[in-house]
Short mmCIF file of all heavy atoms in Angstrom, two decimals:
data_model
loop_
_atom_site.label_atom_id
_atom_site.label_comp_id
_atom_site.label_asym_id
_atom_site.label_seq_id
_atom_site.Cartn_x
_atom_site.Cartn_y
_atom_site.Cartn_z
N ARG I 32 23.55 -9.45 -158.83
CA ARG I 32 23.70 -9.20 -160.27
C ARG I 32 24.75 -8.13 -160.50
O ARG I 32 24.76 -7.11 -159.81
CB ARG I 32 22.38 -8.70 -160.87
CG ARG I 32 21.21 -9.61 -160.69
CD ARG I 32 19.99 -9.00 -161.37
NE ARG I 32 18.78 -9.73 -161.03
CZ ARG I 32 18.04 -9.48 -159.96
NH1 ARG I 32 18.38 -8.52 -159.14
NH2 ARG I 32 16.96 -10.19 -159.72
N PHE I 33 25.58 -8.39 -161.51
CA PHE I 33 26.55 -7.37 -161.95
C PHE I 33 26.07 -6.87 -163.30
O PHE I 33 25.98 -7.66 -164.25
CB PHE I 33 27.95 -7.98 -162.07
CG PHE I 33 28.47 -8.54 -160.76
CD1 PHE I 33 28.56 -9.92 -160.56
CD2 PHE I 33 28.84 -7.68 -159.73
CE1 PHE I 33 29.03 -10.43 -159.36
CE2 PHE I 33 29.31 -8.19 -158.53
CZ PHE I 33 29.40 -9.57 -158.34
N ILE I 34 25.78 -5.59 -163.39
CA ILE I 34 25.20 -5.07 -164.62
C ILE I 34 26.23 -4.19 -165.33
O ILE I 34 26.77 -3.24 -164.73
CB ILE I 34 23.91 -4.30 -164.31
CG1 ILE I 34 22.92 -5.27 -163.66
CG2 ILE I 34 23.32 -3.70 -165.59
CD1 ILE I 34 21.83 -4.61 -162.87
N THR I 35 26.48 -4.55 -166.58
CA THR I 35 27.48 -3.82 -167.37
C THR I 35 26.93 -3.58 -168.77
O THR I 35 25.88 -4.14 -169.13
CB THR I 35 28.78 -4.67 -167.49
OG1 THR I 35 28.41 -5.97 -167.95
CG2 THR I 35 29.50 -4.79 -166.16
N GLU I 36 27.66 -2.80 -169.55
CA GLU I 36 27.24 -2.60 -170.95
C GLU I 36 27.52 -3.88 -171.74
O GLU I 36 28.51 -4.56 -171.48
CB GLU I 36 28.05 -1.45 -171.58
CG GLU I 36 27.82 -0.09 -170.95
CD GLU I 36 26.38 0.38 -171.08
OE1 GLU I 36 25.76 0.15 -172.13
OE2 GLU I 36 25.86 0.96 -170.11
N LEU I 37 26.64 -4.18 -172.70
CA LEU I 37 26.91 -5.33 -173.57
C LEU I 37 28.04 -4.96 -174.52
O LEU I 37 28.03 -3.88 -175.11
CB LEU I 37 25.66 -5.66 -174.38
CG LEU I 37 24.72 -6.70 -173.81
CD1 LEU I 37 23.39 -6.68 -174.56
CD2 LEU I 37 25.31 -8.10 -173.88
N ASP I 38 28.98 -5.86 -174.62
CA ASP I 38 30.16 -5.58 -175.44
C ASP I 38 30.68 -6.92 -175.92
O ASP I 38 30.67 -7.90 -175.18
CB ASP I 38 31.18 -4.87 -174.53
CG ASP I 38 32.58 -4.94 -175.06
OD1 ASP I 38 32.92 -4.05 -175.85
OD2 ASP I 38 33.32 -5.87 -174.71
N GLU I 39 31.12 -6.98 -177.17
CA GLU I 39 31.48 -8.25 -177.81
C GLU I 39 32.49 -9.06 -176.99
O GLU I 39 32.33 -10.24 -176.79
CB GLU I 39 32.02 -7.97 -179.21
CG GLU I 39 32.11 -9.19 -180.12
CD GLU I 39 30.73 -9.66 -180.63
OE1 GLU I 39 30.04 -8.87 -181.29
OE2 GLU I 39 30.39 -10.82 -180.35
N LYS I 40 33.52 -8.41 -176.49
CA LYS I 40 34.60 -9.14 -175.83
C LYS I 40 34.36 -9.29 -174.32
O LYS I 40 34.43 -10.40 -173.78
CB LYS I 40 35.92 -8.41 -176.08
CG LYS I 40 37.12 -9.32 -176.04
CD LYS I 40 38.33 -8.62 -176.58
CE LYS I 40 39.54 -9.53 -176.50
NZ LYS I 40 40.73 -8.90 -177.06
N ASP I 41 34.07 -8.17 -173.65
CA ASP I 41 33.92 -8.22 -172.20
C ASP I 41 32.71 -9.04 -171.76
O ASP I 41 32.74 -9.72 -170.73
CB ASP I 41 33.81 -6.80 -171.61
CG ASP I 41 35.19 -6.22 -171.31
OD1 ASP I 41 36.17 -7.00 -171.39
OD2 ASP I 41 35.28 -5.02 -171.01
N SER I 42 31.65 -9.01 -172.55
CA SER I 42 30.46 -9.77 -172.16
C SER I 42 30.78 -11.25 -172.10
O SER I 42 30.33 -11.96 -171.20
CB SER I 42 29.31 -9.51 -173.14
OG SER I 42 28.92 -8.17 -173.03
N GLN I 43 31.56 -11.71 -173.06
CA GLN I 43 31.96 -13.12 -173.04
C GLN I 43 32.83 -13.41 -171.80
O GLN I 43 32.63 -14.42 -171.12
CB GLN I 43 32.75 -13.45 -174.31
CG GLN I 43 33.12 -14.90 -174.41
CD GLN I 43 33.96 -15.18 -175.64
OE1 GLN I 43 35.07 -14.66 -175.77
NE2 GLN I 43 33.42 -15.99 -176.53
N LEU I 44 33.75 -12.51 -171.54
CA LEU I 44 34.64 -12.71 -170.40
C LEU I 44 33.87 -12.70 -169.08
O LEU I 44 34.08 -13.55 -168.20
CB LEU I 44 35.70 -11.61 -170.38
CG LEU I 44 36.93 -11.86 -171.25
CD1 LEU I 44 37.73 -10.57 -171.41
CD2 LEU I 44 37.82 -12.94 -170.64
N TYR I 45 32.96 -11.75 -168.93
CA TYR I 45 32.20 -11.64 -167.68
C TYR I 45 31.31 -12.88 -167.46
O TYR I 45 31.19 -13.40 -166.35
CB TYR I 45 31.33 -10.38 -167.67
CG TYR I 45 32.11 -9.08 -167.63
CD1 TYR I 45 31.54 -7.90 -168.07
CD2 TYR I 45 33.41 -9.03 -167.15
CE1 TYR I 45 32.24 -6.69 -168.04
CE2 TYR I 45 34.13 -7.84 -167.12
CZ TYR I 45 33.54 -6.68 -167.57
OH TYR I 45 34.24 -5.49 -167.54
N THR I 46 30.72 -13.32 -168.55
CA THR I 46 29.88 -14.52 -168.45
C THR I 46 30.73 -15.73 -168.07
O THR I 46 30.35 -16.54 -167.22
CB THR I 46 29.17 -14.78 -169.81
OG1 THR I 46 28.50 -13.59 -170.19
CG2 THR I 46 28.18 -15.92 -169.72
N PHE I 47 31.89 -15.81 -168.70
CA PHE I 47 32.81 -16.92 -168.42
C PHE I 47 33.26 -16.90 -166.96
O PHE I 47 33.23 -17.91 -166.26
CB PHE I 47 34.02 -16.81 -169.37
CG PHE I 47 35.10 -17.80 -169.08
CD1 PHE I 47 34.95 -19.14 -169.44
CD2 PHE I 47 36.27 -17.42 -168.42
CE1 PHE I 47 35.94 -20.07 -169.15
CE2 PHE I 47 37.25 -18.35 -168.13
CZ PHE I 47 37.09 -19.67 -168.49
N VAL I 48 33.65 -15.72 -166.51
CA VAL I 48 34.18 -15.59 -165.16
C VAL I 48 33.12 -15.96 -164.11
O VAL I 48 33.40 -16.71 -163.16
CB VAL I 48 34.70 -14.15 -164.93
CG1 VAL I 48 34.86 -13.86 -163.45
CG2 VAL I 48 36.03 -13.96 -165.64
N THR I 49 31.90 -15.47 -164.28
CA THR I 49 30.88 -15.79 -163.27
C THR I 49 30.56 -17.29 -163.28
O THR I 49 30.27 -17.86 -162.24
CB THR I 49 29.60 -14.95 -163.46
OG1 THR I 49 29.25 -14.90 -164.82
CG2 THR I 49 29.78 -13.54 -162.94
N SER I 50 30.61 -17.90 -164.46
CA SER I 50 30.35 -19.36 -164.49
C SER I 50 31.48 -20.10 -163.77
O SER I 50 31.25 -21.11 -163.11
CB SER I 50 30.17 -19.86 -165.92
OG SER I 50 31.40 -19.92 -166.59
N LEU I 51 32.70 -19.57 -163.87
CA LEU I 51 33.84 -20.18 -163.19
C LEU I 51 33.72 -20.01 -161.66
O LEU I 51 34.03 -20.93 -160.89
CB LEU I 51 35.13 -19.52 -163.70
CG LEU I 51 36.48 -20.09 -163.27
CD1 LEU I 51 36.62 -21.55 -163.70
CD2 LEU I 51 37.62 -19.27 -163.90
N LEU I 52 33.25 -18.85 -161.24
CA LEU I 52 33.13 -18.59 -159.80
C LEU I 52 32.16 -19.56 -159.12
O LEU I 52 32.31 -19.88 -157.94
CB LEU I 52 32.64 -17.15 -159.55
CG LEU I 52 33.57 -16.01 -159.97
CD1 LEU I 52 32.90 -14.66 -159.71
CD2 LEU I 52 34.91 -16.08 -159.24
N ALA I 53 31.17 -20.01 -159.86
CA ALA I 53 30.16 -20.91 -159.28
C ALA I 53 30.65 -22.34 -159.12
O ALA I 53 29.97 -23.18 -158.53
CB ALA I 53 28.89 -20.88 -160.14
N GLU I 54 31.84 -22.63 -159.63
CA GLU I 54 32.34 -24.01 -159.60
C GLU I 54 33.03 -24.37 -158.28
O GLU I 54 33.02 -25.51 -157.86
CB GLU I 54 33.33 -24.24 -160.74
CG GLU I 54 32.71 -24.22 -162.11
CD GLU I 54 31.74 -25.37 -162.34
OE1 GLU I 54 31.99 -26.49 -161.86
OE2 GLU I 54 30.70 -25.12 -162.99
N SER I 55 33.71 -23.39 -157.68
CA SER I 55 34.51 -23.69 -156.48
C SER I 55 34.91 -22.38 -155.81
O SER I 55 34.60 -21.31 -156.33
CB SER I 55 35.78 -24.47 -156.88
OG SER I 55 36.63 -23.62 -157.62
N ASN I 56 35.58 -22.46 -154.70
CA ASN I 56 36.18 -21.27 -154.09
C ASN I 56 37.37 -21.71 -153.24
O ASN I 56 37.67 -22.91 -153.16
CB ASN I 56 35.14 -20.47 -153.28
CG ASN I 56 34.51 -21.28 -152.16
OD1 ASN I 56 35.22 -21.99 -151.45
ND2 ASN I 56 33.20 -21.18 -152.02
N ALA I 57 38.03 -20.74 -152.63
CA ALA I 57 39.26 -21.08 -151.91
C ALA I 57 39.00 -22.06 -150.77
O ALA I 57 39.82 -22.93 -150.47
CB ALA I 57 39.91 -19.80 -151.38
N LYS I 58 37.83 -21.94 -150.12
CA LYS I 58 37.50 -22.83 -149.01
C LYS I 58 37.11 -24.23 -149.51
O LYS I 58 37.40 -25.24 -148.88
CB LYS I 58 36.36 -22.21 -148.21
CG LYS I 58 36.30 -22.71 -146.78
CD LYS I 58 35.12 -22.13 -146.03
CE LYS I 58 35.36 -20.73 -145.52
NZ LYS I 58 34.20 -20.18 -144.81
N TYR I 59 36.46 -24.25 -150.63
CA TYR I 59 36.05 -25.53 -151.24
C TYR I 59 36.61 -25.57 -152.65
O TYR I 59 35.89 -25.37 -153.64
CB TYR I 59 34.52 -25.64 -151.28
CG TYR I 59 33.88 -25.64 -149.91
CD1 TYR I 59 33.27 -24.50 -149.41
CD2 TYR I 59 33.92 -26.78 -149.12
CE1 TYR I 59 32.70 -24.49 -148.14
CE2 TYR I 59 33.36 -26.78 -147.84
CZ TYR I 59 32.75 -25.62 -147.36
OH TYR I 59 32.20 -25.62 -146.11
N PRO I 60 37.92 -25.80 -152.78
CA PRO I 60 38.54 -25.73 -154.10
C PRO I 60 38.12 -26.86 -155.04
O PRO I 60 38.20 -26.73 -156.25
CB PRO I 60 40.04 -25.81 -153.80
CG PRO I 60 40.14 -26.43 -152.45
CD PRO I 60 38.90 -26.05 -151.71
N ASP I 61 37.67 -27.95 -154.45
CA ASP I 61 37.23 -29.07 -155.28
C ASP I 61 35.73 -28.99 -155.48
O ASP I 61 34.97 -28.79 -154.53
CB ASP I 61 37.61 -30.39 -154.58
CG ASP I 61 37.47 -31.58 -155.51
OD1 ASP I 61 36.35 -31.79 -156.00
OD2 ASP I 61 38.47 -32.26 -155.73
N ARG I 62 35.32 -29.17 -156.72
CA ARG I 62 33.90 -29.11 -157.08
C ARG I 62 33.08 -30.10 -156.25
O ARG I 62 31.95 -29.82 -155.85
CB ARG I 62 33.81 -29.48 -158.55
CG ARG I 62 32.53 -29.18 -159.22
CD ARG I 62 32.59 -29.76 -160.61
NE ARG I 62 32.78 -28.78 -161.64
CZ ARG I 62 33.37 -29.05 -162.81
NH1 ARG I 62 33.87 -30.25 -163.04
NH2 ARG I 62 33.47 -28.13 -163.74
N ALA I 63 33.68 -31.26 -155.99
CA ALA I 63 32.96 -32.28 -155.21
C ALA I 63 32.74 -31.80 -153.77
O ALA I 63 31.69 -32.07 -153.17
CB ALA I 63 33.75 -33.59 -155.21
N GLN I 64 33.72 -31.06 -153.25
CA GLN I 64 33.57 -30.52 -151.88
C GLN I 64 32.43 -29.50 -151.82
O GLN I 64 31.64 -29.48 -150.89
CB GLN I 64 34.87 -29.84 -151.43
CG GLN I 64 36.03 -30.79 -151.23
CD GLN I 64 37.32 -30.02 -150.97
OE1 GLN I 64 37.52 -28.92 -151.47
NE2 GLN I 64 38.20 -30.60 -150.16
N LEU I 65 32.40 -28.66 -152.84
CA LEU I 65 31.34 -27.65 -152.88
C LEU I 65 29.97 -28.32 -153.04
O LEU I 65 29.00 -27.94 -152.38
CB LEU I 65 31.59 -26.65 -154.03
CG LEU I 65 30.60 -25.50 -154.13
CD1 LEU I 65 30.59 -24.64 -152.86
CD2 LEU I 65 30.93 -24.60 -155.34
N ALA I 66 29.93 -29.34 -153.88
CA ALA I 66 28.66 -30.06 -154.09
C ALA I 66 28.21 -30.71 -152.78
O ALA I 66 27.02 -30.71 -152.44
CB ALA I 66 28.83 -31.12 -155.17
N ALA I 67 29.17 -31.26 -152.03
CA ALA I 67 28.84 -31.90 -150.75
C ALA I 67 28.31 -30.86 -149.76
O ALA I 67 27.35 -31.11 -149.02
CB ALA I 67 30.08 -32.58 -150.18
N ARG I 68 28.93 -29.69 -149.78
CA ARG I 68 28.49 -28.63 -148.87
C ARG I 68 27.04 -28.22 -149.21
O ARG I 68 26.21 -28.04 -148.31
CB ARG I 68 29.43 -27.42 -149.02
CG ARG I 68 29.16 -26.33 -148.03
CD ARG I 68 29.67 -26.75 -146.65
NE ARG I 68 29.07 -25.96 -145.59
CZ ARG I 68 28.06 -26.36 -144.81
NH1 ARG I 68 27.52 -27.56 -144.97
NH2 ARG I 68 27.59 -25.58 -143.87
N LEU I 69 26.77 -28.07 -150.49
CA LEU I 69 25.43 -27.67 -150.91
C LEU I 69 24.39 -28.75 -150.59
O LEU I 69 23.28 -28.45 -150.16
CB LEU I 69 25.41 -27.35 -152.41
CG LEU I 69 26.17 -26.09 -152.82
CD1 LEU I 69 26.42 -26.05 -154.32
CD2 LEU I 69 25.41 -24.84 -152.38
N ALA I 70 24.78 -30.00 -150.76
CA ALA I 70 23.86 -31.10 -150.43
C ALA I 70 23.53 -31.06 -148.94
O ALA I 70 22.38 -31.24 -148.53
CB ALA I 70 24.48 -32.45 -150.82
N GLY I 71 24.57 -30.79 -148.13
CA GLY I 71 24.37 -30.71 -146.68
C GLY I 71 23.46 -29.55 -146.28
O GLY I 71 22.86 -29.58 -145.21
#
Side-chain angles (χ1 to χ4, degrees):
Chain I
R32 302 182 190 87
F33 300 108
I34 299 160
T35 51
E36 295 299 321
L37 267 167
D38 160 88
E39 195 73 59
K40 207 168 178 178
D41 272 351
S42 294
Q43 184 183 63
L44 275 166
Y45 293 157
T46 307
F47 174 76
V48 163
T49 44
S50 74
L51 188 59
L52 294 178
E54 291 295 323
S55 68
N56 59 44
K58 203 182 279 179
Y59 298 102
D61 193 301
R62 195 186 255 152
Q64 292 173 328
L65 183 60
R68 187 74 199 101
L69 290 165

